[in-house]
Amino acid sequence: QVQLVESGGGLVQAGGSLRLSCAASGRFSVMGWFRQAPGKEREFVAAITWSVVTTNYADSVKGRFTISRDNAKNTVYLQLNSLKPEDTAVYYCAAVPLRVYTVGYYTRPNLYDYWGQGTQVTVSS
């Protein structure tokens, strides 16, 4: 059974940092982070490929967030720096078993087969 378990969310002041983790039950070709704020659609944040590391970021988080992975632990991380109140959302980890395209293609939620339960990130002003 595939499992993705996120952790690391919390309450932080604007300008602060958090690190989110996603522990996967196996290895997937593409791992991504999405977020969803109340009343809004789920949006792409970042993605990373597993074998040869390539990454892609949403414009809104470039230069502030960093995605990385630990092969030995089957874990993907999302480092969130310089947080803003508009970053407040539930953050979800997602996985694609078999990559067909380059990492830049995987920005839509419907391309991902597996999802975690989400972790809340709240940024106060």
Side-chain angles (χ1 to χ4, degrees):
Q1 183 178 356
V2 174
Q3 282 191 315
L4 302 175
V5 180
E6 301 102 332
S7 61
L11 173 64
V12 64
Q13 288 188 331
S17 298
L18 285 172
R19 190 177 81 155
L20 307 183
S21 299
C22 174
S25 58
R27 189 164 293 184
F28 302 91
S29 291
V30 180
M31 299 286 292
W33 285 97
F34 289 77
R35 65 187 181 186
Q36 189 165 19
K40 294 189 177 182
E41 293 186 351
R42 192 167 297 191
E43 66 171 356
F44 171 75
V45 175
I48 188 168
T49 53
W50 206 264
S51 54
V52 177
V53 177
T54 55
T55 58
N56 185 38
Y57 295 92
D59 288 343
S60 59
V61 306
K62 278 181 183 176
R64 300 189 299 122
F65 292 6
T66 302
I67 189 170
S68 61
R69 90 275 190 268
D70 184 327
N71 285 359
K73 297 182 179 179
N74 283 347
T75 298
V76 174
Y77 303 98
L78 186 67
Q79 179 68 40
L80 290 66
N81 295 332
S82 302
L83 282 162
K84 305 174 182 179
E86 51 263 44
D87 294 318
T88 295
V90 178
Y91 283 70
Y92 295 92
C93 174
V96 176
L98 181 63
R99 178 174 67 90
V100 178
Y101 303 102
T102 60
V103 68
Y105 177 79
Y106 295 94
T107 60
R108 300 194 307 273
N110 65 345
L111 297 174
Y112 290 76
D113 295 290
Y114 304 104
W115 291 84
Q117 81 287 353
T119 185
Q120 177 71 46
V121 171
T122 302
V123 184
S124 63
S125 56

